[in-house]
Amino acid sequence: MLQGGRTVFRVGTFEFQTRHLLVIAVLALAFSIAVIMRSYPVKYGFYLNEFDPYFDYRAVQFILDNGLDAYWQWHDTMSWYPEGRDIPATSQSGLHVTAAIMYQIFGGGGSLMDFTIIFPVVIGSLTVVIVFALVRVLGGTTAGLFAALLFALSPPIILRGNLGWFKSEPLGLFFGLLATYLFISAIKHKEIKYAIPKVVLGGLLLGLANASWGGIQYFSIPVALFFMALPFFRRDLTIPMYVAIAFTVFTLLAASAFPRPGMAFVAGLPGIAMVGGTVFLVAANFLGRMGEEKNRQRNLAFLLIAFVAAGIGMIAAGAYVSPSFRYINAINPFVSSENALVESVAEHLTPTVADYFLDYSILLMFAGLGAWMAFRRRNDVAMFALIIGFTGVYVSATFARLLVFASVGIIILASLGLFEITRSILEHREAHASGPQKGKRKDAARAPMGRSVKITYVAAVITLLLVPVLYPPQSSWTTAVDVPAAIANGGSVFRIQQDDWVDATEWIKENTEEDAVVAAWWDYGYWITTLGERTTLADNATINQTRIETIAKMFSADEQSGLKIAQDLKADYIVVYVVGQKFGDTSPGDNSTSERVPIFTLGQGGEESKKNWIMRIGGYDEARYIENDGFTPKKTFWTNTFLGKLIPFEPLYYAQLTGDAAGLTNVRDTYQQGLTQLYSKNVKYPADGGADQPLHLVYASPSFEESSRVVTGVFVYEVNHDYVPTPSGDPYTPSDRPLADMTPGPRIAEIETAQGTFTVEFFPNAAPETVENFITLAEDGFYDGTAFHRVSPGFVIQGGDPLTRNDTARDQWGTGGPDYTIDDEFTDIPHNRGIVSMAHSSQPDSAGSQFFVVLDDSDLIRRALDNNYAAFGRVVEGMDVVDRIAALPITGGNGPDNELIVNIDDSRIISVRILDR
């Protein structure tokens, strides 16, 4: 279409015409748009984006500091402690090596961090030019220009190549599309001497692309299918045969030269597909020369059937290096994942039909037209456009991350469709008769449309393409790419810039021991290792799923089991991340005379949102901890999981958020569908806690301390290695038993004894009848004057018998009570030190007034008491008083009264007062 034009200057036989200026102008426009769209995150700060780029930055820095030889031998001991990680064998070495070389050439003495932040913008924008070249080979210059503009604006491409996205996709796509352009260009050459150099370079680049991003293995699919389709649409296969051989050989050589993908690529499905397609093309070429022309299509069909059958047999026999589940799922979307870890990753979510319409909008219509036109032409390059279009959409149907390939395919087809429409409009064909005889074929003469028609058409096309860029406002292409770097908003849904994570990693770097080991959910491992310069247990490489499952068990288990796992993992610090919004200020009961405290809603990006996945990965039944809305945590989450105790908030009540001045309606103490849970701050492991506290909060983000509107709180807990956890069972085996709700009630008991006073909080949700009975007896003065009559050292002290008021009834102590009994409320509350539980006889439902306090933590105690006694409270203050009572002299000996107190007045209960908290 862009033909003719005035000559501007000549260089030898080449004439630079005005149409070349137009091409350059459009490419410059596309490049500029690409830079602008990919630079959107700069409004939120100049950061590396997401998680992996911090590791890739660290790897490039390692090459610059230590050289390539050291890099190829690098076993990183700061990640995946204590095993470490073989970096070249488990990462995108092509990206690291390329970036290190380019920094040395173009870095200009600037910081590597700045270079890597800008790197994806430059590479992604240059890819616009590559796409132009590729589509120009497939459909002409005009189609190439359309493709360049569309590629510059495509949200799935931009979101995986914007500012700071220094990871595999931008460079992988650049090399992969450049290799594809060279390959198709070589196929179209009529002279082998020009085709071979191009295809050799293309093969080397495709191998490098595979070493830069594992997803580039996708390109093996359209290339192999194209090799097998060529014989059906092209008769002379000599040049294609040599091109295919060279392309395959040099791709395999380049890919195998890197530790990853290495020989796994050659012996895996991608390499086998390319080799198989090449062999088919060679066989088809010789078959076509040997057989008769009239039998060509039939012979090719039989050959294809034989190859397909051989391929199926090879796959069925497992005669290849099996890829990971993600690659299998991409090839076969009907294979369902049963791996919670894979399913938990946002980029592994399956795109919906709505996603395709939002991401591609009007392009889908143009792509359909382009596919139809390509099918009508049925030549080799048209078939390649069809293959890359349909396979790109096909593989993207599994993972959202692979929408980049759908974008490539749809953009190619849409550009061809736009070109056909434009040519039809701007180069209108006007038919006239070539002769007077009826039935004679009419020739078509081209008569250009009028200026007004052309202007109208151009305006209409621009409008159609601009609609998805700007409309609808909340889900346009521009809005879609307006996303902060993950470290700026903590990976939350809020479009904000806060330095909570940057500050937290800086604090870790400056205030923790150099050899400290940090436990955190695996998302944050790269940030902690790269910015905090500390050793971590897991990161986004996910090379050890068992380790991630163990961390999930640590968070999902009860406090004692979680602590045991943390200590087993040699963790010195535990990092937890929580996202919340400040809703307002309130006070208990809205008493205006009380101190008003900030209240929050939680959700939108931290562990409070990931808890469901953490529990699934850890093997826990999330329904035991999460309400039926799939998000709101039950009280058991806060009382019976380690994560619930690590999150420094506590639930207040449930309410409907109105959004008006009133703020709240339908306020309730219990959950109801449609209500939002509101929270207040509550640090369960404060920094100034005693030496017997298992953890201490040593760092909290400024947004939490200052109660900012949006809290992206990073919390660092120091593990008390002197604390000996006492899990009630195997901490690595999730229990299927129903969990008791240990949420403290609104009332407490102050028990004054001859040795001092201790305070007990109650668990009314776990043992409501037992708690009510104790409170009623206490308020009636039933316990006043009784005593702790029994002491079993290292086990329990027991009291509450009214017969202990009479020192002469010693032989009857332990048999008294009120004139009634209550039902047993056995639970799985672990009988750890300080637990208050109800005593009973050997008969069922025989409890009355007697209770005991557990003195020590041990598996023997828990095995004897858990699920056999109704634990209904816990000593929260004055455990030293309990210990003094436990140290009083007892009768000893071998008789039944060997654990009785010698001097009952020393253990007398003076009063039990029930108070509101």
Side-chain angles (χ1 to χ4, degrees):
M1 277 199 43
L2 297 173
Q3 298 178 12
R6 185 169 59 86
T7 299
V8 179
F9 62 84
R10 290 185 177 86
V11 178
T13 59
F14 173 74
E15 292 186 355
F16 187 87
Q17 300 179 340
T18 53
R19 65 187 177 93
H20 295 123
L21 286 174
L22 178 61
V23 171
I24 293 172
V26 174
L27 284 178
L29 175 64
F31 182 87
S32 300
I33 292 172
V35 170
I36 293 170
M37 296 291 283
R38 285 156 176 77
S39 299
Y40 251 75
V42 75
K43 64 193 286 188
Y44 303 102
F46 201 63
Y47 305 100
L48 283 174
N49 198 359
E50 262 279 340
F51 303 102
D52 297 45
Y54 286 87
F55 162 73
D56 292 322
Y57 158 79
R58 180 168 169 251
V60 175
Q61 186 68 66
F62 185 92
I63 293 175
L64 295 174
D65 292 342
N66 301 279
L68 269 175
D69 289 341
Y71 173 80
W72 298 126
Q73 305 298 321
W74 185 18
H75 188 90
D76 182 29
T77 57
M78 290 187 65
S79 59
W80 296 96
Y81 177 84
E83 296 86 359
R85 174 183 176 185
D86 183 348
I87 297 297
T90 60
S91 59
Q92 291 76 28
S93 299
L95 171 63
H96 303 159
V97 174
T98 301
I101 294 173
M102 293 184 71
Y103 173 75
Q104 291 175 321
I105 297 173
F106 303 108
S111 75
L112 177 63
M113 178 66 77
D114 291 346
F115 178 84
T116 54
I117 291 172
I118 298 172
F119 183 86
V121 173
V122 175
I123 292 297
S125 301
L126 288 174
T127 308
V128 166
V129 181
I130 303 302
V131 169
F132 160 74
L134 171 60
V135 179
R136 181 176 178 274
V137 171
L138 296 175
T141 301
T142 303
L145 293 176
F146 278 128
L149 289 167
L150 296 177
F151 193 87
L153 290 166
S154 175
I157 299 289
I158 295 171
L159 289 174
R160 299 203 165 273
N162 56 9
L163 187 76
W165 194 275
F166 181 62
K167 55 187 298 188
S168 46
E169 290 97 324
L171 188 63
L173 279 177
F174 177 84
F175 284 143
L177 290 171
L178 180 56
T180 304
Y181 158 69
L182 293 171
F183 165 67
I184 294 298
S185 180
I187 286 284
K188 292 188 68 176
H189 268 298
K190 292 183 168 47
E191 296 184 63
I192 195 68
K193 64 180 180 180
Y194 297 118
I196 291 301
K198 280 189 175 182
V199 80
V200 168
L201 178 59
L204 294 174
L205 288 173
L206 187 59
L208 179 57
N210 277 281
S212 301
W213 180 29
I216 293 297
Q217 293 185 29
Y218 153 74
F219 279 94
S220 299
I221 298 174
V223 167
L225 292 176
F226 182 56
F227 287 162
M228 302 181 79
L230 263 176
F232 294 93
F233 300 98
R234 183 164 173 169
R235 295 188 180 279
D236 184 4
L237 297 176
T238 303
I239 290 180
M241 180 184 70
Y242 289 115
V243 165
I245 293 172
F247 191 64
T248 298
V249 168
F250 283 93
T251 296
L252 298 182
L253 286 174
S256 62
F258 289 85
R260 179 184 180 188
M263 291 304 298
F265 180 86
V266 178
L269 291 178
I272 291 173
M274 290 188 68
V275 171
T278 302
V279 172
F280 177 85
L281 183 58
V282 172
N285 182 45
F286 284 104
L287 184 66
R289 293 185 178 188
M290 291 169 50
E292 296 183 12
E293 183 63 28
K294 64 179 181 179
N295 296 326
R296 174 184 172 84
Q297 296 296 323
R298 184 196 65 185
N299 294 340
L300 288 174
F302 284 136
L303 180 64
L304 179 62
I305 293 172
F307 264 78
V308 170
I312 294 173
M314 183 197 65
I315 293 174
Y320 61 94
V321 175
S322 180
S324 69
F325 175 83
R326 287 179 295 174
Y327 292 102
I328 295 175
N329 201 187
I331 298 172
N332 183 5
F334 302 102
V335 176
S336 61
S337 171
E338 296 180 358
N339 187 321
L341 179 59
V342 173
E343 293 175 340
S344 70
V345 181
E347 64 187 20
H348 293 164
L349 296 178
T350 301
T352 64
V353 173
D355 291 327
Y356 285 96
F357 277 104
L358 287 174
D359 286 340
Y360 305 113
S361 185
I362 194 68
L363 296 190
L364 294 174
M365 179 183 73
F366 291 128
L369 175 62
W372 179 63
M373 294 302 298
F375 185 76
R376 284 190 60 189
R377 288 182 180 179
R378 298 180 189 175
N379 58 28
D380 47 7
V381 293
M383 286 304 103
F384 183 80
L386 276 176
I387 290 170
I388 201 167
F390 283 107
T391 57
V393 173
Y394 176 82
V395 299
S396 72
T398 303
F399 295 134
R401 183 181 189 182
L402 300 182
L403 281 171
V404 293
F405 295 129
S407 297
V408 171
I410 289 172
I411 285 170
I412 289 174
L413 292 176
S415 301
L416 297 177
L418 275 166
F419 167 68
E420 290 296 337
I421 296 175
T422 303
R423 186 174 65 172
S424 298
I425 296 294
L426 302 187
E427 296 182 359
H428 176 63
R429 293 176 183 271
E430 190 176 90
H432 65 273
S434 60
Q437 297 180 2
K438 185 178 181 180
K440 290 283 187 180
R441 186 177 68 85
K442 296 180 179 181
D443 296 328
R446 293 184 179 180
M449 283 286 189
R451 184 187 181 111
S452 61
V453 175
K454 291 181 179 181
I455 294 174
T456 302
Y457 169 76
V458 171
V461 170
I462 292 174
T463 301
L464 284 174
L465 294 180
L466 283 179
V467 166
V469 175
L470 303 172
Y471 185 85
Q474 299 305 315
S475 54
S476 67
W477 288 359
T478 304
T479 304
V481 302
D482 182 13
V483 180
I487 203 165
N489 71 342
S492 68
V493 301
F494 302 106
R495 290 177 175 172
I496 58 173
Q497 188 273 319
Q498 292 187 173
D499 289 328
D500 283 344
W501 264 109
V502 175
D503 292 344
T505 53
E506 181 66 21
W507 185 92
I508 290 172
K509 177 181 176 182
E510 298 295 332
N511 296 276
T512 62
E513 305 81 9
E514 289 188 7
D515 60 349
V517 177
V518 180
W521 191 232
W522 59 284
D523 288 347
Y524 320 120
Y526 285 146
W527 289 352
I528 295 169
T529 301
T530 301
L531 299 179
E533 298 183 7
R534 292 298 178 264
T535 300
T536 56
L537 297 170
D539 55 42
N540 287 63
T542 63
I543 59 177
N544 184 343
Q545 292 196 18
T546 301
R547 171 66 52 74
I548 297 175
E549 291 168 4
T550 301
I551 296 174
K553 292 179 191 292
M554 178 190 76
F555 283 127
S556 303
D558 61 87
E559 176 190 57
Q560 296 300 308
S561 296
L563 284 166
K564 180 68 167 62
I565 294 174
Q567 291 186 359
D568 288 348
L569 292 173
K570 310 300 182 185
D572 299 302
Y573 296 88
I574 298 176
V575 172
V576 174
Y577 175 57
V578 182
V579 176
Q581 283 182 281
K582 183 180 178 183
F583 184 75
D585 294 297
T586 188
S587 60
D590 271 341
N591 184 347
S592 60
T593 63
S594 302
E595 180 184 357
R596 300 185 70 80
V597 297
I599 60 173
F600 303 84
T601 59
L602 298 183
Q604 310 300 340
E607 267 76 284
E608 82 295 328
S609 298
K610 301 171 185 174
K611 59 187 180 299
N612 304 57
W613 288 113
I614 291 173
M615 290 177 183
R616 290 179 203 172
I617 293 169
Y620 282 76
D621 180 8
E622 64 187 282
R624 298 161 65 191
Y625 306 91
I626 310 297
E627 300 286 2
N628 56 16
D629 65 352
F631 177 78
T632 303
K634 294 179 179 179
K635 291 181 179 179
T636 49
F637 170 79
W638 299 103
T639 58
N640 293 78
T641 69
F642 194 28
L643 180 58
K645 294 183 179 296
L646 289 168
I647 294 176
F649 291 90
E650 65 177 356
L652 284 176
Y653 41 72
Y654 305 86
Q656 184 175 348
L657 309 185
T658 62
D660 56 20
L664 301 175
T665 61
N666 196 18
V667 178
R668 295 176 177 268
D669 291 328
T670 57
Y671 172 76
Q672 181 179 328
Q673 188 77 28
L675 299 184
T676 299
Q677 196 167 36
L678 297 173
Y679 303 86
S680 63
K681 294 180 180 180
N682 181 19
V683 177
K684 289 90 166 182
Y685 303 114
D688 57 358
D692 60 344
Q693 187 173 279
L695 299 170
H696 295 86
L697 181 66
V698 292
Y699 177 85
S701 291
S703 67
F704 174 77
E705 299 285 9
E706 300 163 6
S707 298
S708 302
R709 183 185 67 84
V710 175
V711 174
T712 52
V714 185
F715 305 94
V716 183
Y717 293 91
E718 185 173 9
V719 178
N720 181 0
H721 289 292
D722 293 329
Y723 183 90
V724 180
T726 54
S728 58
D730 181 2
Y732 298 91
T733 303
S735 172
D736 294 328
R737 298 174 302 179
L739 296 177
D741 187 347
M742 296 173 65
T743 303
R747 311 187 76 186
I748 59 174
E750 281 192 356
I751 302 177
E752 182 181 1
T753 74
Q755 300 297 322
T757 300
F758 64 92
T759 303
V760 173
E761 67 179 7
F762 300 108
F763 306 144
N765 294 329
E769 186 178 351
T770 306
V771 171
E772 182 182 358
N773 175 69
F774 185 93
I775 290 175
T776 299
L777 291 174
E779 289 180 332
D780 290 341
F782 182 90
Y783 291 112
D784 298 351
T786 64
F788 287 96
H789 61 279
R790 179 192 174 197
V791 171
S792 179
F795 187 42
V796 301
I797 62 170
Q798 183 172 325
D801 184 353
L803 298 178
T804 57
R805 293 192 181 98
N806 184 356
D807 192 25
T808 62
R810 182 176 289 266
D811 61 338
Q812 298 180 44
W813 289 354
T815 63
D819 57 359
Y820 62 84
T821 60
I822 61 175
D823 294 338
D824 294 323
E825 294 179 300
F826 299 157
T827 69
D828 64 348
I829 291 177
H831 281 73
N832 293 323
R833 174 175 164 80
I835 288 293
V836 182
S837 195
M838 209 66 187
H840 61 78
S841 70
S842 59
Q843 299 299 315
D845 301 327
S846 59
S849 61
Q850 294 187 47
F851 62 95
F852 59 87
V853 182
V854 180
L855 299 176
D856 206 350
D857 292 315
S858 78
D859 292 336
L860 290 175
I861 293 175
R862 284 188 293 271
R863 279 196 290 268
L865 302 179
D866 292 358
N867 287 291
N868 293 317
Y869 292 86
F872 67 95
R874 170 172 48 200
V875 176
V876 290
E877 289 183 19
M879 196 62 194
D880 58 327
V881 175
V882 175
D883 291 336
R884 286 199 290 272
I885 296 172
L888 293 172
I890 56 177
T891 55
N894 297 319
D897 60 351
N898 65 329
E899 295 179 337
L900 296 182
I901 290 287
V902 172
N903 185 354
I904 197 66
D905 291 330
D906 290 341
S907 63
R908 190 73 65 189
I909 295 175
I910 298 172
S911 68
V912 178
R913 292 184 298 167
I914 303 300
L915 306 173
D916 292 330
R917 280 184 176 271

